[in-house]
Amino acid sequence: MPDYLPFDPHPRAPSPLPPALACDSQFHVFGPPEQYPVRPGAAYTMPTATWQVAQALHRTLGIQRGVIVQATTYGADHTVVLDALAGLNGKGPRHYLACANAAVLSERDDAYLHKLHDAGVRGARFTRAGLGISLLPAEQQRAFDRCREMGWYVKVQPEASGIAEQIAAFEHLEIPVLIDHMGRPDLARGEADPGLAKLVELLGRGNFWVMLSLSEKTSQAGFPWDDVLPLARRLIRAAPERCVWGSDWPHPVSVKQPPNEGDLLELVYRFAPDAATLHKLLVSNPATFFGFDTP
């Protein structure tokens, strides 16, 4: 198993700071392996990246809300996410929510799902095949049904080649669906990329959303990722009310040094054509989609 690179330990504050109640709509936590053992046969492991470090990162960035996404590293065992939610939220307003791994929908019972929901889990992520967890068609349909029953959204992690070949399994859904990583199109193909065309089509429906994330890996030009700007702006034009942003910290399976989070947040400033749109991306859209408590 490769040794993937850890996050930048010296994040800088963006200039300016984001608007109040800005949300990091996707980050992960990886606890000490002696406390949180990985799933047998896990496709990857990562250096420790605890919720305490994530909390300090968000304070530096001026981020006040966040959504933890369960890594496939832990499969259906969501202890690391449950502990992170308890630590981050304490007894105050619930500023942190979470997204489960879809494996939990086929491997655990309803009581466990309700435990997750009570803790702040509001969706389930269906991961790409290369990450070691996949569901048979009947299992996947039952997982969709359980999401609907729980009032959860479905989250889709695109294949490295984009969403074009995998999205058919999700098109029929009428519950909220969030497509990760801008659909991972081939930037060299521009508007001719079939995954991008399909994503724009789906955004024309009322229940499909997109995550503006993974810019550093989608880019073919490298920092400062200028070649990602047309893609992000195209998606924002298609559905300004249904785009959210996530850092993807600590940047799992990175074979190149992960970026500084301040740089990533400032890139989102360049995505948005004006302050009102930036507020949608960072504050009002995630509040609507994830259902954060009213402050």
Side-chain angles (χ1 to χ4, degrees):
M1 185 180 296
D3 290 328
Y4 294 110
L5 295 173
F7 57 90
D8 187 330
H10 304 294
R12 65 172 184 82
S15 179
L17 291 175
L21 297 179
C23 180
D24 180 351
S25 296
Q26 175 166 307
F27 70 100
H28 310 279
V29 288
F30 296 90
E34 63 274 11
Q35 184 176 359
Y36 302 101
V38 302
R39 176 188 183 95
Y44 73 95
T45 60
M46 284 293 293
T48 297
T50 65
W51 67 262
Q52 292 94 335
V53 177
Q55 184 180 56
L57 166 66
H58 286 162
R59 286 173 176 163
T60 296
L61 297 178
I63 296 290
Q64 294 172 280
R65 287 175 167 170
V67 181
I68 309 166
V69 177
Q70 165 86 348
T72 58
T73 302
Y74 303 107
D77 181 356
H78 285 60
T79 304
V80 68
V81 166
L82 291 170
D83 288 353
L85 287 172
L88 288 164
N89 287 319
K91 296 182 179 180
R94 183 176 281 167
H95 288 310
Y96 284 85
L97 299 172
C99 179
N101 185 282
V104 75
L105 298 168
S106 63
E107 297 181 22
R108 303 300 292 264
D109 59 17
D110 287 346
Y112 192 75
L113 296 185
H114 285 290
K115 178 181 179 180
L116 295 179
H117 187 88
D118 290 345
V121 172
R122 293 294 180 265
R125 190 190 202 197
F126 293 75
T127 56
R128 60 187 177 90
L131 293 183
I133 294 178
S134 59
L135 303 179
L136 297 173
E139 294 174 324
Q140 189 172 64
Q141 185 55 53
R142 176 56 183 147
F144 293 155
D145 292 342
R146 296 184 93 182
C147 283
R148 187 182 64 252
E149 293 159 6
M150 296 292 297
W152 287 4
Y153 60 87
V154 163
K155 200 165 189 280
V156 183
Q157 183 183 33
E159 296 292 337
S161 58
I163 65 167
E165 295 180 3
Q166 73 185 117
I167 198 61
F170 302 88
E171 283 191 77
H172 71 285
L173 295 176
E174 296 180 353
I175 61 177
V177 180
L178 178 59
I179 308 296
D180 281 350
H181 303 333
M182 298 183 281
R184 295 197 78 167
D186 180 352
L187 295 184
R189 302 184 70 177
E191 293 280 343
D193 184 274
L196 175 58
K198 173 56 69 173
L199 179 53
V200 170
E201 175 194 328
L202 293 173
L203 289 174
R205 307 179 189 180
N207 64 312
F208 278 82
W209 294 59
V210 65
M211 176 83 69
L212 306 177
S213 58
L214 211 74
S215 298
E216 75 282 4
K217 293 179 182 176
T218 302
S219 173
Q220 297 174 359
F223 181 82
W225 316 299
D226 290 338
D227 56 335
V228 179
L229 292 174
L231 168 62
R233 290 170 179 169
R234 178 69 182 92
L235 298 175
I236 292 169
R237 287 197 307 273
E241 309 288 344
R242 292 194 302 282
C243 297
V244 296
W245 170 79
S247 69
D248 201 41
W249 183 91
H251 310 283
V253 299
S254 290
V255 295
K256 297 180 180 179
Q257 178 57 49
N260 191 285
E261 312 306 320
D263 291 332
L264 281 182
L265 190 48
E266 288 179 353
L267 179 63
V268 184
Y269 298 174
R270 293 198 286 151
F271 288 170
D274 50 52
T277 303
L278 182 64
H279 190 274
K280 290 177 182 178
L281 302 180
L282 295 179
V283 183
S284 56
N285 289 358
T288 297
F289 184 82
F290 299 110
F292 282 101
D293 293 344
T294 301

